[in-house]
């Protein structure tokens, strides 16, 4: 049985002998929450005594953990053994091979967003999956902006060349274009100018700033949607955005009220989920009271 006080056992993630083997509780929590937010699977293994009380617990790569066909405790898997009236509930896959089976008391596979969708086979849907379009939009905007400075993906304008007399022939125009670009192209060949054959010299400005292109509004829109999916206020990630609701609780500053409300609807459910899993798989098995 557990020889340590429950609080110390939790902070060590196990008995004294595991002090230098396993993560401390804060690192364990970071691993678990990251997997939950990315995959909607928070997995940790409980190494039990013979009495099934926890000896230690450790976070497991959630991407490798799958729900076994025998999860319903009725479907029999060839080669699986029934222990204490239970078949394995979870399996660990590596390179498309089952490398280990876990019984219900050995593994927690926590899903925060369960669904009745039969195609999901009992798995949930993470916030990141709902944000695929948003994340793609952010990556495209960042790539476009970085390309603007790296290779001048947006030309500043075009130079229209007027024909003089018989006009510039193709060779003279090509020579002029070469000399112009060699003299005026920016770093890394940035901001090359297009030169076109025409009647006269005329500069056509194609350069637009971020305000003209509404890039800031587009990026702000993506950030707002992302924060809405995660149920947090953008101010929590240091993006105090314009155009938001300016409401505040009585006797509280605006930011204070918004951050408190944000934590209540975003952080609290996450902590409650972690609390329920730890209570069920660890605390109550050490001491039901």
């Amino acid at each position: 049985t557990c020889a340590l006080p429950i609080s110390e056992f939790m902070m060590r993630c196990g008995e004294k002998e595991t002090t230098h083997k396993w993560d401390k509780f804060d690192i364990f929590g970071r691993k678990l929450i990251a997997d939950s937010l990315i995959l909607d699977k928070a997995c940790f293994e409980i190494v039990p005594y013979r009495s099934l009380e926890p000896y230690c617990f450790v976070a497991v790569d959630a991407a490798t953990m799958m729900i076994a066909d025998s999860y319903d405790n009725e479907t029999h898997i060839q080669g699986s053994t029934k222990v204490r009236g239970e078949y394995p509930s979870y399996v660990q896959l590596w390179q498309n091979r089952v490398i280990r089976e876990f019984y219900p008391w050995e593994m927690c596979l926590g899903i925060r967003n369960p669904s009745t969708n039969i195609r999901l086979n009992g798995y949930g849907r993470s916030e990141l999956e709902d944000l695929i379009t948003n994340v793609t939009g952010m990556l495209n905007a960042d790539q476009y902006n970085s390309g603007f400075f790296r290779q001048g993906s947006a030309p500043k304008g075009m130079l229209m060349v007027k024909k003089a007399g018989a006009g510039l022939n193709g060779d003279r125009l090509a020579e002029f274009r070469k000399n112009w670009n060699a003299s005026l192209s920016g770093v890394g060949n940035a901001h090359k100018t297009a030169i076109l054959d025409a009647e006269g010299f005329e500069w056509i400005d194609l350069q637009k700033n971020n305000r003209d292109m509404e890039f800031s509004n587009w990026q702000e829109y993506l950030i707002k949607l992302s924060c809405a999916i995660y149920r947090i206020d953008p101010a929590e990630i240091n993006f105090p955005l314009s155009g938001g609701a300016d409401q505040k609780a009585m006797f509280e500053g605006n930011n204070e009220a918004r951050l408190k409300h944000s934590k209540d609807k975003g952080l609290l459910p996450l902590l409650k989920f972690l609390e329920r899993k730890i209570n069920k798989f660890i605390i109550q098995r050490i001491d039901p009271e």
Side-chain angles (χ1 to χ4, degrees):
T1 59
C2 181
L4 292 176
I6 292 180
S7 58
E8 189 175 348
F9 178 88
M10 291 301 304
M11 295 308 297
R12 293 175 182 270
C13 293
E15 295 285 6
K16 288 183 178 180
E17 304 93 277
T18 65
T19 301
H20 302 293
K21 296 180 181 178
W22 311 121
D23 295 325
K24 295 296 188 290
F25 185 73
D26 59 332
I27 304 299
F28 167 81
R30 292 180 192 181
K31 291 180 176 180
L32 217 62
I33 294 301
D35 280 349
S36 181
L37 292 175
I38 296 171
L39 303 169
D40 196 18
K41 284 194 291 185
C43 300
F44 61 91
E45 179 184 357
I46 306 96
V47 181
Y49 286 104
R50 289 184 179 275
S51 62
L52 298 188
E53 286 187 12
Y55 168 71
C56 64
F57 55 96
V58 59
V60 178
D61 183 1
T64 65
M65 296 305 305
M66 302 294 166
I67 300 173
D69 289 339
S70 57
Y71 180 82
D72 57 9
N73 210 30
E74 295 179 359
T75 306
H76 177 63
I77 301 179
Q78 187 176 4
S80 295
T81 306
K82 204 169 190 178
V83 177
R84 297 177 183 262
E86 300 277 353
Y87 282 120
S89 294
Y90 310 103
V91 296
Q92 188 170 30
L93 292 181
W94 179 251
Q95 296 180 344
N96 295 323
R97 291 192 307 111
V98 175
I99 61 174
R100 190 175 170 191
E101 298 175 337
F102 293 91
Y103 290 90
W105 54 85
E106 294 177 324
M107 176 61 61
C108 166
L109 192 149
I111 295 175
R112 285 183 300 109
N113 305 309
S115 172
T116 58
N117 189 340
I118 194 171
R119 295 179 179 85
L120 293 181
N121 294 317
Y123 298 100
R125 183 179 175 90
S126 71
E127 290 82 357
L128 196 58
E129 291 181 80
D130 293 328
L131 287 172
I132 289 177
T133 304
N134 269 40
V135 172
T136 304
M138 290 180 182
L139 293 176
N140 288 340
D142 290 342
Q143 185 177 8
Y144 179 87
N145 285 331
S146 64
F148 175 82
F149 295 103
R150 185 175 64 252
Q151 61 190 28
S153 57
K156 285 183 175 296
M158 293 187 297
L159 183 64
M160 309 287 288
V161 181
K162 178 182 178 180
K163 291 183 178 179
L168 293 173
N169 58 35
D171 293 339
R172 294 292 302 277
L173 184 61
E175 182 182 356
F176 177 73
R177 181 184 292 114
K178 180 179 179 180
N179 292 336
W180 176 282
N181 287 331
S183 303
L184 300 180
S185 293
V187 177
N189 214 20
H191 307 307
K192 293 179 64 175
T193 303
I195 302 175
L196 305 178
D197 188 7
E199 293 286 343
F201 279 97
E202 182 183 358
W203 174 255
I204 301 176
D205 186 15
L206 298 178
Q207 189 68 35
K208 302 294 182 182
N209 59 35
N210 281 353
R211 183 173 295 277
D212 293 329
M213 300 292 284
E214 299 294 346
F215 282 161
S216 58
N217 288 345
W218 165 246
Q219 290 175 312
E220 184 172 311
Y221 167 75
L222 294 177
I223 292 171
K224 283 181 177 179
L225 282 183
S226 301
C227 289
I229 293 293
Y230 282 106
R231 296 186 293 277
I232 64 174
D233 190 284
E236 282 200 66
I237 55 173
N238 290 325
F239 275 96
L241 304 177
S242 59
D246 188 19
Q247 299 177 351
K248 58 182 180 180
M250 190 177 296
F251 307 121
E252 284 186 317
N254 184 42
N255 286 341
E256 183 181 358
R258 287 170 57 186
L259 290 178
K260 181 179 182 300
H261 179 61
S262 175
K263 290 179 179 179
D264 286 345
K265 66 180 182 178
L267 179 62
L268 191 60
L270 198 59
L271 295 179
K272 285 286 188 182
F273 163 78
L274 187 61
E275 175 190 49
R276 287 194 299 270
K277 297 304 175 184
I278 289 175
N279 281 340
K280 176 180 178 181
F281 286 92
I282 302 174
I283 303 294
Q284 292 176 356
R285 283 169 53 180
I286 296 175
D287 184 357
E289 299 300 327

